[in-house]
Amino acid sequence: MKEGLKIIISGGGTGGHIFPAISIANAIKSKEPKAEILFVGAEGRMEMQRVPAAGYEIKGLPICGFDRKNLLKNVVVLFKIWKSQRMAKKIIKDFKPMAAVGVGGYASGPTLNQCAAMGIPCLLQEQNSYAGVTNKLLAKKAEKICVAYEGMERFFPAEKIILSGNPVRQAILDTTISREDAIRQFGLNPAKKTILFVGGSLGARTINESILRHLDLLEGEDVQVIWQTGKYYSASIAEELKNTSKEYPMLKVTDFIGDMGAAYKAADLVISRAGASSISEFCLIGKPVILVPSPNVAEDHQTKNTMALVNKDAALYVKDADAPDTLLQLAIKTVKDSSRLKSLSENIKKLGLKDSAEIIADEVIKLATKK
């Protein structure tokens, strides 16, 4: 029926932008198998590998962010923005999209600007509770804005907003493994309470330090830990553990977890940064979580994401600066409190928004076919 449907999806920079973008593309393809989808990303960023791995074509722009510390370097940034605008215009003219989707990140700026200027309807997807700079600038030109949190009228025109939630990795929702089998998969004991520490694929120094400094707290506790160190920190942590005089059989240490669905299923409690995609996953699976927002993100949006949950008693919060001293102690105390875990699970699950990718895909297809 809609043969020849052509959609551009632009943005990236982090998994939090890329995973939703790919989920939206997959949902469009499931509804319209003949649809052509082209991604536009930023050269040198992770989308240039992740998107082709998911089976989609991507074009790269030489776009980058402003350097707030060295203003002279922004002369080069301005040139890259100008060049990216020209390249985006050519990509759009060649591909002839019927609609464009911006998921945030550097590349979505020039791409969506050019699409809007050429009369191509645009949809924005904002993952965070505090809107990103690019999406705020693009909002006037967008026809629809899909959001994951209530109260986004403070950033966007209310009549354009659709409360869709964030698309998440489908494999996490589709996991059928039992908690016991998942724990055995990590070589641990199903009879013990299990805490999962994750800091993203590269790792989080603060979360790693919170364990390393207080390994003694795990001794004598009927608790075990799955610890994803991140690839950046794995060698140094392995060396430190090797140099300790004790063994820690209650620790499963790994640089990267390929099957996050199994890891979440194994965990009675998760310790994590507060990226929008991760939070959406926790909401949908009803997982009790202690959030440690990264202080190194624009507009401190991870803290704002965290407080949106904390204010509804749906998560616990530890400030990054306090985590090395207090996080592991709080995690052990919380995982042993079954009633607290139950209330956190019930409250966070109330915030989950299902079928996000399908809702967004339907809106994209409507925009593409309404002309």
Side-chain angles (χ1 to χ4, degrees):
M1 185 176 94
K2 301 182 184 73
E3 197 169 342
L5 195 71
K6 289 187 168 190
I7 309 294
I8 270 185
I9 300 178
S10 186
T14 67
H17 293 309
I18 298 162
F19 292 135
I22 292 171
S23 294
I24 293 165
N26 291 342
I28 293 170
K29 288 290 280 184
S30 72
K31 294 171 184 292
E32 300 293 338
K34 293 181 180 177
E36 291 180 58
I37 298 173
L38 176 66
F39 281 75
V40 180
E43 290 174 356
R45 305 291 287 190
M46 63 192 291
E47 59 263 28
M48 301 308 293
Q49 284 76 46
R50 294 287 177 89
V51 169
Y56 295 101
E57 183 185 358
I58 186 167
K59 303 279 188 185
L61 303 179
I63 190 82
C64 61
F66 282 101
D67 191 324
R68 296 175 187 179
K69 294 178 182 176
N70 190 334
L71 295 178
L72 287 175
K73 286 186 179 178
N74 290 323
V75 175
V76 176
V77 175
L78 289 169
F79 172 73
K80 287 184 174 181
I81 291 172
W82 174 81
K83 188 177 179 183
S84 295
Q85 295 273 13
R86 287 176 65 88
M87 288 175 67
K89 190 172 185 178
K90 184 177 188 312
I91 290 167
I92 295 159
K93 279 187 172 180
D94 291 345
F95 184 65
K96 300 180 176 62
M98 299 159 70
V101 181
V103 296
Y106 301 136
S108 64
T111 308
L112 274 286
N113 267 323
Q114 289 296 327
C115 283
M118 296 163 75
I120 297 157
C122 298
L123 177 145
L124 300 180
Q125 199 255 328
E126 174 56 61
Q127 293 100 20
N128 293 294
S129 63
Y130 191 90
V133 173
T134 303
N135 278 350
K136 283 192 278 190
L137 291 172
L138 291 169
K140 288 181 183 176
K141 300 174 182 180
E143 295 201 22
K144 297 290 180 184
I145 304 170
C146 292
V147 302
Y149 292 87
E150 295 174 351
M152 297 301 283
E153 295 83 2
R154 59 205 165 115
F155 303 111
F156 304 127
E159 68 276 8
K160 295 182 179 183
I161 292 175
I162 297 165
L163 185 62
S164 63
N166 282 327
V168 302
R169 293 172 284 186
Q170 195 60 39
I172 286 165
L173 303 182
D174 292 344
T175 298
T176 56
I177 192 170
S178 68
R179 175 185 176 275
E180 289 73 20
D181 287 344
I183 290 174
R184 289 192 188 98
Q185 191 170 296
F186 287 96
L188 295 173
N189 183 355
K192 290 187 174 184
K193 292 286 190 178
T194 305
I195 309 169
L196 170 65
F197 285 80
V198 286
S201 57
L202 295 178
R205 183 196 299 275
T206 303
I207 290 176
N208 288 336
E209 282 184 2
S210 73
I211 305 174
L212 270 179
R213 285 193 195 179
H214 303 288
L215 286 168
D216 58 300
L217 289 177
L218 292 170
E219 294 180 74
E221 296 285 359
D222 202 24
V223 168
Q224 57 196 2
V225 169
I226 300 169
W227 178 10
Q228 182 190 278
T229 63
K231 293 181 180 179
Y232 187 79
Y233 300 100
S234 61
S236 62
I237 288 171
E239 189 65 27
E240 288 203 47
L241 290 173
K242 189 172 144 187
N243 291 335
T244 61
S245 56
K246 299 175 184 175
E247 290 190 1
Y248 296 94
M250 76 293 287
L251 271 182
K252 168 63 179 177
V253 185
T254 179
D255 65 335
F256 178 74
I257 297 172
D259 187 353
M260 283 306 299
Y264 287 155
K265 189 59 74 83
D268 297 288
L269 175 69
V270 178
I271 316 300
S272 173
R273 289 301 199 191
S277 289
S278 296
I279 286 178
S280 293
E281 290 171 353
F282 302 144
C283 291
L284 286 169
I285 62 176
K287 189 58 60 175
V289 62
I290 300 175
L291 296 171
V292 186
S294 170
N296 307 311
V297 293
E299 283 101 16
D300 195 26
H301 68 250
Q302 286 203 4
T303 299
K304 296 177 175 76
N305 290 348
T306 298
M307 296 316 297
L309 271 65
V310 170
N311 291 337
K312 296 187 177 180
D313 196 29
L316 300 180
Y317 164 43
V318 173
K319 194 175 178 182
D320 185 83
D322 298 335
D325 293 325
T326 65
L327 180 59
L328 185 56
Q329 188 174 7
L330 176 63
I332 293 169
K333 179 185 174 186
T334 304
V335 82
K336 292 166 74 176
D337 185 343
S338 296
S339 64
R340 188 74 180 111
L341 291 179
K342 186 171 184 285
S343 69
L344 286 169
S345 176
E346 289 171 351
N347 292 340
I348 199 169
K349 200 158 192 178
K350 289 174 189 171
L351 305 179
L353 294 167
K354 296 180 181 177
D355 305 320
S356 299
E358 284 72 24
I359 292 167
I360 297 167
D362 284 338
E363 292 299 328
V364 176
I365 292 167
K366 276 187 215 167
L367 287 180
T369 56
K370 77 174 186 180
K371 284 196 169 184

